[in-house]
Amino acid sequence: MRRAIFPGSFDPITLGHFDIIKRGIDLFDEIIVAIGINAEKKYMFNLEQRKAFIEEAFKDEPKVKVVTYKGMTVDFCKEIEANFILRGLRNPADFEFEKAIAHTNRKLTKIETVFLLTAASTSFISSSIVRDVIRNNGNFSILVPDSVKV
């Protein structure tokens, strides 16, 4: 089975994340959207909300599961027998950052990272931009799946 983990904080899930997951469905037998838990980080949405947003967005897609995890992503991959890490790339800065992580992960394990370029229509969207729009009472609905409610 080709199982991929798509890790992130998803605070909140954006249309960019949604696009990568949807396109990944054709590449993998199962995609585990894995919400990392970091006690040091301040989130706009609590863990239950973030998980619910993603579950609702993919409620009709049996190949997508949503879980939470602590610790290193590669350790979690081994725990759930995921052979791949799926990541989206928006720009060259994302690539440089993600490349270093992918090389480290491959050095630690045999888990491969698969990169998908974001669609041109969503390449400008980030969770931090969405949070800023929300904080300033802007129309964030054009940046996130319908499941994201404030």
Side-chain angles (χ1 to χ4, degrees):
M1 172 183 267
R2 290 183 328 259
R3 178 178 289 140
I5 181 174
F6 185 53
S9 59
F10 305 102
D11 187 32
I13 184 173
T14 69
L15 289 177
H17 296 129
F18 185 85
D19 173 63
I20 295 296
I21 297 166
K22 287 294 277 184
R23 289 169 41 219
I25 289 169
D26 293 334
L27 303 174
F28 301 102
D29 299 313
E30 184 177 49
I31 296 178
I32 309 292
V33 180
I35 305 170
I37 300 170
N38 181 348
E40 305 295 312
K41 202 168 175 185
K42 292 260 188 194
Y43 297 104
M44 176 174 275
F45 298 97
N46 68 42
L47 186 60
E48 293 77 24
Q49 289 173 303
R50 290 180 280 145
K51 190 170 188 243
F53 293 156
I54 302 166
E55 288 173 337
E56 177 65 21
F58 290 97
K59 67 181 178 197
D60 297 324
E61 182 46 69
K63 290 172 73 173
V64 175
K65 309 273 186 290
V66 185
V67 300
T68 62
Y69 76 104
K70 289 181 183 176
M72 287 180 44
T73 301
V74 290
D75 291 339
F76 185 64
C77 286
K78 287 190 272 184
E79 181 183 321
I80 65 166
E81 299 179 349
N83 305 82
F84 303 94
I85 297 173
L86 177 62
R87 299 298 292 160
L89 299 174
R90 294 172 297 188
N91 55 47
D94 278 358
F95 173 73
E96 290 301 325
F97 177 74
E98 294 291 345
K99 180 179 76 166
I101 294 170
H103 284 310
T104 303
N105 287 342
R106 197 164 348 116
K107 188 81 165 168
L108 297 172
T109 68
K110 298 293 181 210
I111 296 167
E112 287 290 343
T113 301
V114 176
F115 297 110
L116 294 181
L117 297 178
T118 57
S121 61
T122 62
S123 64
F124 66 96
I125 303 172
S126 69
S127 292
S128 57
I129 288 173
V130 172
R131 290 191 305 272
D132 195 46
V133 171
I134 292 169
R135 274 195 283 286
N136 290 288
N137 298 313
N139 180 11
F140 66 94
S141 66
I142 60 172
L143 305 172
V144 298
D146 292 340
S147 61
V148 177
K149 309 279 190 263
V150 176

